């Protein structure tokens, strides 16, 4: 016997419950909030959800999120193109941007090496980074992966790949407590970590 398709309310509750930090109770509360909300408000939310999947894509150069070909940072002529800061995810880039002191460009790896989860270099944008460095004009690559076992392993892997290209490879200072994920570090900590970066 085929299972009955879920009703609209149960379906929304189920989808909301998949979001991080949203338990079944909250999912239910949000669902009832949306059922009671103005049609316009709910459609605006649906539109915004659709837009992040249809309009957002990775930047051609740095893999940051963008709605165009190049992201706003890569397009900004005031940024220093000789320095590339390598991060795991767009949210790490956002955290560093919030710190407000870094004026170079970025490269978003799209994750970190995790052999146990079968995430090898081919799943990251390592090739793109290598191409950018080999194209010339880059003087420094700052490894800003998270100070976790996998983040450190990724930084080491990438720095080995860059050895021989002549580029200076540095890493964030250990002002960040070990295990602190970049996106949760405060802006001053990140500014200090950038300021105190050292040669890898
Ligand atoms: Zn970009």
């Amino acid at each position: 016997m085929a299972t009955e398709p879920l009703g609209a309310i149960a379906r929304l509750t189920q989808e909301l419950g998949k979001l991080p930090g949203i338990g079944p109770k909250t999912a239910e509360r949000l669902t009832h909030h949306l059922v009671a909300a103005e049609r316009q408000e709910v459609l605006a939310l649906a539109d915004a959800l659709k837009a992040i999947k249809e309009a957002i894509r990775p930047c051609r150069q740095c893999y940051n999120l963008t709605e165009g070909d190049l992201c706003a940072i890569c397009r900004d002529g005031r940024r220093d193109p000789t320095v590339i800061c390598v991060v795991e995810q767009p949210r790490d880039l956002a955290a560093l941007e919030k710190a407000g002191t870094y004026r170079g460009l970025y490269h978003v790896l799209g994750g970190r090496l995790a052999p146990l989860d079968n995430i090898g270099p081919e799943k990251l944008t390592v090739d793109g980074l290598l191409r950018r460095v080999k194209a010339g004009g880059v003087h420094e690559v700052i490894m800003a992966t998270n100070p976790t076992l996998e983040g450190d392993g990724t930084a080491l892997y990438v720095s080995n790949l860059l050895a021989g290209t002549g580029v200076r490879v540095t890493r964030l200072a250990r002002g960040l407590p070990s295990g602190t994920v970049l996106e949760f570090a405060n802006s001053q900590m990140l500014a200090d970590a950038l300021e105190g970066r050292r040669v890898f």
Side-chain angles (χ1 to χ4, degrees), residues 3 29 52 58 64 69 95 98 127 133 140 143 170 188:
T3 43
R29 208 172 64 233
I52 57 168
N64 183 19
D69 182 36
K98 224 182 278 171
D127 282 352
V133 171
E140 180 180 356
M143 298 307 308
T170 57
Q188 191 54 50

Side-chain angles (χ1 to χ4, degrees), residues 1-163:
M1 205 171 82
T3 43
E4 188 108 355
L6 286 176
I9 289 184
R11 220 173 96 206
L12 181 57
T13 307
Q14 190 182 57
E15 291 306 319
L16 289 170
K18 293 177 186 169
L19 299 173
I22 299 197
K25 281 264 177 269
T26 307
E28 214 179 302
R29 208 172 64 233
L30 287 171
T31 300
H32 286 289
H33 168 82
L34 290 167
V35 167
E38 293 288 338
R39 182 184 168 82
Q40 216 179 346
E41 189 188 327
V42 178
L43 291 185
L45 173 64
D47 266 357
L49 287 173
K50 245 175 107 179
I52 57 168
K53 281 298 142 191
E54 285 170 1
I56 305 273
R57 55 181 140 161
C59 168
R60 172 167 57 81
Q61 178 164 263
C62 76
Y63 298 89
N64 183 19
L65 300 176
T66 178
E67 292 188 28
D69 182 36
L70 285 176
C71 73
I73 295 171
C74 287
R75 279 199 316 266
D76 187 346
R78 292 163 301 179
R79 308 283 304 214
D80 178 0
T82 67
V83 189
I84 296 177
C85 180
V86 177
V87 295
E88 293 177 25
Q89 299 288 358
R91 56 178 182 263
D92 301 321
L93 182 159
L96 286 163
E97 280 300 286
K98 224 182 278 171
T101 53
Y102 179 64
R103 301 305 304 158
L105 300 180
Y106 289 94
H107 192 88
V108 179
L109 290 173
R112 73 273 177 276
L113 295 176
L116 295 180
D117 298 330
N118 275 322
I119 301 176
E122 74 287 348
K123 299 227 169 106
L124 307 180
T125 66
V126 175
D127 282 352
L129 175 65
L130 216 57
R131 270 199 305 277
R132 287 177 75 183
V133 171
K134 285 181 174 164
V138 179
H139 298 159
E140 180 180 356
V141 171
I142 306 169
M143 298 307 308
T145 49
N146 286 304
T148 58
L149 204 61
E150 290 173 343
D152 284 343
T154 307
L156 187 65
Y157 175 84
V158 173
S159 71
N160 284 338
L161 280 183
L162 294 173

